Amino acid sequence: MDIQFQDTQANTTEPLNSTKQLFDSKLSVTFSVAEAVVKILKDMGVQYAFGVSGGAIAPVWAALHQSPIQVLHFRHEAGAAFAAIEAHFASDRPVVIFTTTGPGITNALTGLLAARWEGAKVILVSASTSAPQRGRWACQETSTYTMPSTGIFTSGQIFHYATTLESSDELTEVSRRLVLGLEQPGGFVAHISIPTNIQTSSLKTLLPRVTLSQSLATATEETIAECVRLLSEGPFVIWVGFGARGAAKEIRQLAERTGAAVMCSPRAKGIFPEDHPQFIGVTGFGGHESVFRYMQDYRPLRTLVLGTRLGERTSFLLPIMVPLRGFLHVDIDPEVPGTAYPSAETFAIPSDIKVFVKGLLKHFSQHSVELTKPMLLRPEHSIINPRTHGKVRPVVLMDAIQRLIVEGSDVLVMTEASSSSAWGNYMLRFAKPHRYRNCSGFASMGHITTGVVGAALARGGKAIAIVGDGAMLMNNEISTAVKYQIPVVWIVLNDGHYNMCDRGMAMLGFQGVDAEIPQTNFVNIACGMGADGIRVERETDIEAALEKAMVAIAPFVIDVVIDSTQPAPIESRIWNLITQNSTNYYC
């Protein structure tokens, strides 16, 4: 980390008008704390700022608009936060979320918790009530008098780092803490709260100029040698997670040299090609029966875990997923290995995945390992021909998406945390990384309906969101996509139900619950906001609708009337709840 300083001797008395000079010239100027914060964020690599404005955050908002950072004004703070998560993963840069006081902050909290779970790098910059106004019922008062400070304004379970900037003198330390967090591998979620009067105050100290540098955690040669020894003792399987997305080439080389079977978490689809003969399937939610059959019939000696926490959505915490001699678990977070399966033998390796696998490859020559290679089981997919009558079956829709979008383009495909995700995990097959995203961590409804806007913007191209009608009604950012002409396509599985909740409750033995949603025409809604769209009521119309969406320039909604009697592949999730003897179902 390198922090330098810029001279700020005064030669002007107009701080709010100096932002452009701050970025575009080398002249020394006096500028405000708001402008200084924005300059520091830009130097940290921030390209995008998403949020909703308000009176209390106005100085920061104005400074953002005068800076090189691209500012998008969203319709809801949660949507801005979800979009920031996906923009981070698409660009590998930190993204700013800005909100005003009170409900601006609380509205964003769900998205910020999702950012923490997903491992994104985002920085919330919010306003707070000026000190002289606190405790006097100021409009949307945000202070310890009206809001809990623990968790929202302090480091803890929501934020890795959080503080309220009470003086410009604190800016250097705030910058230092942000740099430390952004330099670390993995996620970093921060909150900088700035009272309105501090935003407009003149900077009284030298402006920190920040340079980021990152170092990768690496395993020692002794650790790698021990891993080679353990893996050479017998058959092993590789379990690939989202954290391994930067090591696709190396993981494929390792698998092919050793003959190891490979499975992946739902978020890791495509890191190892799903059409590869050594791929046995997706684990967890919407996963494949072939994985369970392999683990049961062939019982590998060990499992090499690369970049997954093995949480419930990935493993269902099932004992069958524990190999005979336990796990070799590689993760950048040293607290992850051994958490999901505390009673299983686990050899923890804190390391960057790519660096670690490269180390293994030095020891595994092309023919150095002679392991028994069973006839690997493969995920099975039956082709179902479209019918000319009745509502659309999800399997037919997903088959068309596979052919026309997954195989016919290079766009990003995203699935909402619902039946849509189950269908995507189960039926879509990717041969390359960075083509598929689902939010299986915090799994908030509305994450992908809004997050797709940030992903498409940061990728600089079209992105597809496969979502349910419930999520689309809860939170979407069609209007934002229209305003900034972002080429997003929403494919809505419109079945008039909270389908996963409805079916899950029935499987759990609860009858008579109300999970229906009044039938909605999402094309009418989309067109009313300035987007385009098409409604699909027959399976024979699917291909034409997908083709039209793929060439559309404007944001586009495909409203697919789904046959709600067709069960989504969520049996494993439900049976896992049943085995827990649970009376609570979280859909």
Side-chain angles (χ1 to χ4, degrees):
M1 175 181 66
D2 180 24
I3 298 183
Q4 301 173 344
F5 300 93
Q6 177 177 322
D7 188 6
T8 59
Q9 292 179 352
N11 68 353
T12 180
T13 57
E14 301 182 55
L16 281 179
N17 295 326
S18 62
T19 307
K20 193 169 182 2
Q21 295 181 58
L22 175 63
F23 286 99
D24 294 346
S25 76
K26 296 182 179 180
L27 295 176
S28 296
V29 295
T30 296
F31 47 89
S32 70
V33 168
E35 293 168 329
V37 168
V38 171
K39 174 67 165 62
I40 290 167
L41 293 171
K42 186 264 181 186
D43 289 345
M44 290 178 180
V46 172
Q47 289 183 321
Y48 303 107
F50 304 153
V52 180
S53 62
I57 197 67
V60 168
W61 190 36
L64 283 167
H65 272 290
Q66 292 296 318
S67 79
I69 296 173
Q70 187 172 352
V71 183
L72 273 70
H73 202 192
F74 276 68
R75 308 298 168 256
H76 194 279
E77 291 86 353
F82 290 134
I85 294 169
E86 299 309 322
H88 161 73
F89 286 125
S91 66
D92 199 30
R93 288 174 174 265
V95 180
V96 162
I97 305 156
F98 61 89
T99 74
T100 191
T101 47
I105 297 171
T106 57
N107 283 349
L109 286 178
T110 300
L112 291 160
L113 280 163
R116 182 74 182 253
W117 278 62
E118 293 287 322
K121 280 185 164 71
V122 299
I123 301 170
L124 170 65
V125 179
S126 79
S128 62
T129 302
S130 302
Q133 304 295 322
R134 295 171 191 169
R136 302 171 60 189
W137 298 109
C139 180
Q140 298 180 334
E141 180 173 337
T142 299
S143 71
T144 55
Y145 289 93
T146 58
M147 294 180 70
S149 60
T150 302
I152 298 179
F153 301 101
T154 58
S155 307
Q157 296 303 311
I158 303 176
F159 300 105
H160 294 91
Y161 171 62
T163 190
T164 299
L165 188 66
E166 299 284 12
S167 167
S168 63
D169 296 339
E170 301 169 5
L171 198 54
T172 298
E173 175 61 15
V174 170
S175 301
R176 186 185 74 84
R177 293 292 296 272
L178 290 176
V179 168
L180 287 173
L182 293 174
E183 285 182 333
Q184 296 301 311
F188 178 66
V189 183
H191 180 194
I192 309 303
S193 177
I194 314 176
T196 305
N197 65 321
I198 301 299
Q199 294 177 46
T200 56
S201 65
S202 297
L203 193 66
K204 299 177 181 178
T205 60
L206 297 179
L207 174 65
R209 181 174 294 165
V210 182
T211 303
L212 292 177
S213 62
Q214 291 187 332
S215 59
L216 299 177
T218 58
T220 64
E221 282 297 322
E222 292 77 8
T223 298
I224 292 175
E226 177 63 9
C227 291
V228 171
R229 184 187 71 80
L230 294 174
L231 294 175
S232 299
E233 288 181 347
F236 68 93
V237 61
I238 301 173
W239 200 340
V240 179
F242 185 63
R245 59 193 180 278
K249 176 183 175 182
E250 291 75 14
I251 292 170
R252 179 168 182 167
Q253 290 176 347
L254 178 64
E256 291 176 346
R257 289 189 189 182
T258 62
V262 181
M263 54 192 179
C264 74
S265 71
R267 291 202 306 163
K269 285 169 67 68
I271 294 176
F272 189 84
E274 293 188 75
D275 58 359
H276 195 283
Q278 287 172 245
F279 183 71
I280 60 172
V282 179
T283 66
F285 185 70
H288 299 127
E289 180 65 25
S290 54
V291 171
F292 296 128
R293 294 203 308 269
Y294 175 84
M295 295 301 291
Q296 178 176 298
D297 295 346
Y298 295 107
R299 302 299 292 154
L301 193 66
R302 289 186 172 87
T303 296
L304 176 61
V305 181
L306 301 175
T308 168
R309 291 173 293 210
L310 302 182
E312 184 181 357
R313 282 265 176 153
T314 293
S315 68
F316 291 134
L317 308 178
L318 295 173
I320 194 174
M321 299 305 293
V322 179
L324 294 173
R325 294 291 299 276
F327 301 102
L328 279 71
H329 197 151
V330 188
D331 201 282
I332 55 174
D333 185 347
E335 296 184 5
V336 165
T339 300
Y341 289 98
S343 60
E345 183 179 346
T346 300
F347 183 31
I349 306 107
S351 177
D352 173 79
I353 305 298
K354 186 173 183 176
V355 171
F356 173 79
V357 178
K358 279 186 172 182
L360 286 185
L361 288 170
K362 293 178 181 178
H363 292 264
F364 286 127
S365 63
Q366 190 67 37
H367 302 289
S368 64
V369 181
E370 294 294 335
L371 300 177
T372 302
K373 299 179 182 178
M375 183 67 69
L376 297 181
L377 301 164
R378 305 272 298 135
E380 298 177 358
H381 297 283
S382 300
I383 298 176
I384 302 177
N385 294 322
R387 63 190 182 189
T388 58
H389 63 281
K391 297 178 179 179
V392 176
R393 291 167 292 176
V395 290
V396 178
L397 173 63
M398 301 306 291
D399 182 64
I401 292 172
Q402 174 68 34
R403 289 184 287 105
L404 297 178
I405 295 178
V406 176
E407 297 172 11
S409 76
D410 62 353
V411 303
L412 176 68
V413 178
M414 312 174 76
T415 57
E416 187 62 71
S418 62
S419 297
S420 306
S421 183
W423 285 117
N425 295 346
Y426 184 75
M427 289 201 65
L428 300 182
R429 303 172 301 284
F430 295 86
K432 296 180 180 179
H434 311 297
R435 288 287 315 280
Y436 183 71
R437 270 287 293 157
N438 68 36
C439 50
S440 59
F442 200 50
S444 174
M445 287 180 64
H447 182 137
I448 297 302
T449 60
T450 58
V452 67
V453 176
L457 176 71
R459 281 174 63 92
K462 195 178 292 288
I464 309 289
I466 305 172
V467 304
D469 50 345
M472 199 69 172
L473 287 168
M474 181 177 289
N475 197 2
N476 73 71
E477 291 287 346
I478 295 175
S479 175
T480 302
V482 168
K483 177 176 175 61
Y484 300 103
Q485 284 299 287
I486 301 173
V488 174
V489 175
W490 289 267
I491 301 175
V492 185
L493 277 61
N494 189 350
D495 57 13
H497 283 77
Y498 289 110
N499 190 285
M500 194 165 73
C501 296
D502 192 17
R503 182 158 178 257
M505 292 294 281
M507 291 181 68
L508 288 168
F510 299 105
Q511 304 298 326
V513 297
D514 180 12
E516 292 189 7
I517 301 172
Q519 189 66 233
T520 303
N521 190 314
F522 290 98
V523 173
N524 287 348
I525 295 174
C527 291
M529 288 191 281
D532 198 0
I534 188 169
R535 189 170 173 88
V536 175
E537 298 179 335
R538 297 182 302 176
E539 292 175 357
T540 51
D541 295 333
I542 293 173
E543 290 196 11
L546 293 177
E547 289 170 352
K548 184 175 181 180
M550 289 300 290
V551 299
I553 299 175
F556 199 95
V557 171
I558 303 177
D559 185 8
V560 186
V561 181
I562 292 292
D563 183 351
S564 63
T565 66
Q566 300 294 305
I570 62 170
E571 293 89 349
S572 297
R573 162 68 171 157
I574 304 305
W575 286 114
N576 185 47
L577 287 170
I578 292 173
T579 59
Q580 297 175 40
N581 195 26
S582 174
T583 58
N584 296 310
Y585 178 62
Y586 299 96
C587 31

